[in-house]
C-alpha cells in the first residue's frame, strides 16, 4: 500500500488558495467579502517593515478612514439596540493626556453587574473606541446585562497618533485602575478585560502590566479575541503555521509587519511581552486570573493565540480556548449582519464568562 497523502490546509497546501476559494470558509462570509473585493489576495501592499516610519504614518492616516467606512457598511441597516443607557467620562492619563471612557449599561439595572473593560482593535495603531462598530459591540453587551466600558487610548498612528508603545498600554492601565476605583458608582461587580485583534494584544498586555505593577487583583477575568501578539510578521516562523496557511486571508503578514513597526518603530521591544505578549515567560504567567482565548480558524493570527493559551495552562492557570471555524480574522464580531448566529455565540460566551467569575 502506498503512503497516505496528507492534505495541508489553506495556502500550505495550495499557494494560490484565497479566502474565497478555501472550502473551510463560511459561504455567507465569503459572499460579503466578495462584494467588498476582499475574497482574494488583493493588490500588493504598498508598505512593509522596511518602509520609512514617516511613510507608515501617512499610510495609517489613509488606511484608517477606509477601515472605518468598511465597518460602517458591514453594520448598516441593523436595528438599534434597545434598553441601553450611555454616558461618557473623561479622565487624566499617565502623561497628563485626556482619556475618554464610553460607558454602556442596561437601562434601569438594579444592583451591580459584571463589567467588560473593552479595548478596541486596530493593531494598536488605528481606529477609535468612538467608531460605530465598537459602540455597537458595547451596546450589544449591555443589552445582555453587562456594563461595557470602552477606553479611548492613544494609537501608534492614525487620528489618535502618533504615540508608539507603551503610550496606549499605559492609557489602558490607567483607565482600568480608574474603573476599579469607581466600581460602586459605576454599578460594577467584577471586571473582565476584553478586546479583539490589537485590542486582544492590549487585553493581555494590560493584564501582564497589572501583575508587574501590583494591581492584578482588580482583574477578575480576561477574554482575548484573535489576539495580535507575536510581532513576528515580517519573517513569519514555521512554528506559527497559520501565518503561512492563512496569509492574505483578509490580513497579510507583510502589511502586519508594517503596522508592527508603527507600534514599535525601532524594534527594540520585539520580544518584550508588554508589547508582544506571546513572548511572555511561563513564570510571569503564574497566578493569572481565568482566561478565555478566542481565535478564528482562517486567521493568520490563530496559532499565536493558541500558543498563548498553551502557555497559560502550562503555567497552571484556568484557561479555555475556543476556535470559530469558517471565519477569518475577527469574523465572529465584524459580520454582525450576515453571521448573526456566530456573533451571538461570541457575545454569549463573553457574557457567560463574566457572570461565572
Amino acid at each position: 500500500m502506498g503512503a497516505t497523502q496528507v492534505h495541508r490546509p489553506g495556502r500550505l497546501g495550495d499557494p494560490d488558495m484565497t479566502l474565497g476559494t478555501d472550502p473551510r470558509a463560511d459561504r455567507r462570509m465569503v459572499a460579503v467579502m466578495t462584494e467588498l473585493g476582499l475574497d482574494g489576495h488583493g493588490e500588493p501592499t504598498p508598505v512593509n517593515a522596511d518602509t520609512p516610519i514617516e511613510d507608515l504614518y501617512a499610510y495609517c492616516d489613509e488606511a484608517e478612514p477606509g477601515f472605518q467606512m468598511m465597518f460602517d457598511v458591514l453594520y448598516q441597516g441593523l436595528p438599534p439596540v434597545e434598553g441601553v443607557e450611555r454616558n461618557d467620562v473623561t479622565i487624566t492619563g499617565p502623561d497628563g493626556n485626556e482619556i475618554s471612557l464610553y460607558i454602556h449599561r442596561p437601562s434601569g439595572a438594579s444592583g451591580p453587574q459584571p463589567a467588560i473593560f473593552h479595548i478596541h482593535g486596530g493593531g494598536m495603531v488605528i481606529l477609535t473606541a468612538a467608531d460605530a462598530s465598537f459602540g455597537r459591540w458595547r451596546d450589544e453587551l449591555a443589552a445582555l446585562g453587562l456594563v461595557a466600558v470602552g477606553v479611548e487610548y492613544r494609537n501608534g498612528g492614525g487620528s489618535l497618533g502618533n504615540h508608539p508603545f507603551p503610550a496606549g498600554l499605559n492609557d489602558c492601565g490607567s483607565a482600568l485602575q480608574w474603573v476599579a476605583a469607581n466600581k460602586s458608582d459605576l454599578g460594577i461587580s467584577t471586571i473582565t478585560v476584553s478586546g479583539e485583534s490589537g485590542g486582544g494584544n492590549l487585553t493581555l498586555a494590560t493584564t501582564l502590566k497589572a501583575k508587574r505593577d501590583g494591581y492584578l487583583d482588580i482583574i477578575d477575568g480576561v477574554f482575548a479575541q484573535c489576539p495580535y501578539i507575536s510581532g513576528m510578521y515580517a519573517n513569519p516562523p514555521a512554528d506559527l503555521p497559520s501565518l503561512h496557511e492563512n496569509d492574505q486571508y483578509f490580513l497579510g503578514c507583510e502589511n502586519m509587519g508594517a503596522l508592527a513597526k508603527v507600534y514599535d518603530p525601532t524594534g527594540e521591544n520585539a520580544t518584550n511581552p508588554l508589547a508582544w505578549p506571546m513572548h511572555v515567560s511561563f513564570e510571569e504567567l503564574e497566578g493569572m486570573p481565568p482566561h478565555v482565548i478566542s481565535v478564528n480558524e482562517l486567521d493568520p493570527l490563530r496559532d499565536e493565540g493558541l500558543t498563548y493559551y498553551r502557555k497559560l495552562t502550562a503555567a497552571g492557570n484556568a484557561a479555555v480556548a475556543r476556535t470559530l471555524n469558517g471565519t477569518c480574522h475577527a469574523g465572529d464580531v465584524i459580520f454582525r449582519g450576515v453571521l448573526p448566529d456566530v456573533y451571538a455565540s461570541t457575545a454569549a460566551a463573553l457574557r457567560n464568562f463574566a457572570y461565572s467569575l
Side-chain angles (χ1 to χ4, degrees):
M1 295 179 64
T4 301
Q5 184 174 3
V6 178
H7 174 72
R8 306 180 77 195
R11 300 190 70 191
L12 291 173
D14 178 0
D16 294 324
M17 186 81 74
T18 67
L19 183 62
T21 60
D22 195 311
R24 299 172 295 171
D26 189 307
R27 305 326 289 178
R28 298 172 295 173
M29 179 188 73
V30 168
V32 174
M33 296 298 264
T34 300
E35 289 179 10
L36 295 172
L38 297 173
D39 58 320
H41 293 162
E43 298 295 324
T45 180
V47 294
N48 56 45
D50 295 323
T51 301
I53 191 65
E54 293 303 324
D55 292 342
L56 291 178
Y57 287 144
Y59 172 75
C60 288
D61 289 340
E62 181 179 344
E64 183 176 57
F67 276 104
Q68 290 168 326
M69 186 179 302
M70 180 187 72
F71 292 136
D72 287 346
V73 168
L74 290 172
Y75 281 79
Q76 71 182 10
L78 295 173
V81 180
E82 303 292 343
V84 177
E85 300 173 357
R86 308 167 190 86
N87 67 290
D88 304 342
V89 174
T90 300
I91 64 173
T92 301
D95 298 315
N97 55 303
E98 291 188 345
I99 302 174
S100 295
L101 300 176
Y102 305 105
I103 303 169
H104 302 229
R105 57 182 306 107
S107 299
S110 60
Q113 285 147 326
I116 305 301
F117 182 82
H118 181 250
I119 307 174
H120 72 79
M124 303 89 73
V125 299
I126 60 171
L127 304 180
T128 79
D131 290 354
S133 59
F134 299 125
R136 175 79 189 203
W137 179 241
R138 296 190 299 268
D139 274 349
E140 300 257 13
L141 296 178
L144 292 175
L146 299 162
V147 178
V149 181
V151 55
E152 197 71 279
Y153 58 87
R154 288 170 291 177
N155 277 335
S159 60
L160 298 180
N162 301 320
H163 303 286
F165 170 84
L169 173 61
N170 290 342
D171 289 349
C172 290
S174 293
L176 175 64
Q177 291 177 84
W178 183 90
V179 170
N182 291 274
K183 286 173 70 174
S184 179
D185 291 341
L186 294 171
I188 287 172
S189 56
T190 60
I191 299 175
T192 297
V193 182
S194 181
E196 67 291 314
S197 192
N201 174 307
L202 288 169
T203 289
L204 300 176
T206 296
T207 305
L208 295 173
K209 177 177 171 60
K211 183 178 182 184
R212 288 190 182 187
D213 293 350
Y215 57 91
L216 184 61
D217 60 316
I218 70 175
I219 300 175
D220 298 287
V222 178
F223 194 110
Q225 298 163 249
C226 52
Y228 169 70
I229 55 174
S230 75
M232 304 172 75
Y233 311 112
N235 296 289
D239 60 358
L240 293 175
S242 64
L243 288 176
H244 304 272
E245 171 192 330
N246 300 323
D247 186 26
Q248 297 184 54
Y249 284 18
F250 185 38
L251 296 184
C253 287
E254 196 169 33
N255 188 263
M256 288 191 290
L259 297 184
K261 182 175 178 177
V262 175
Y263 191 53
D264 179 28
T266 66
E268 62 190 284
N269 295 290
T271 59
N272 180 351
L274 292 185
W276 301 105
M278 195 196 77
H279 301 284
V280 70
S281 67
F282 293 106
E283 292 76 17
E284 191 164 7
L285 284 176
E286 291 176 354
M288 284 290 174
H291 277 61
V292 174
I293 307 296
S294 182
V295 299
N296 304 90
E297 180 186 22
L298 305 181
D299 184 359
L301 306 184
R302 182 194 68 214
D303 291 339
E304 56 202 72
L306 295 177
T307 295
Y308 198 91
Y309 157 74
R310 294 183 186 109
K311 283 190 171 186
L312 283 165
T313 57
N317 298 289
V320 171
R322 61 194 299 268
T323 302
L324 280 301
N325 289 338
T327 59
C328 67
H329 178 72
D332 52 321
V333 290
I334 64 177
F335 294 106
R336 171 65 177 83
V338 296
L339 301 179
D341 48 344
V342 181
Y343 182 100
S345 75
T346 291
L350 177 52
R351 187 261 182 207
N352 292 343
F353 176 66
Y355 267 88
S356 74
L357 300 172

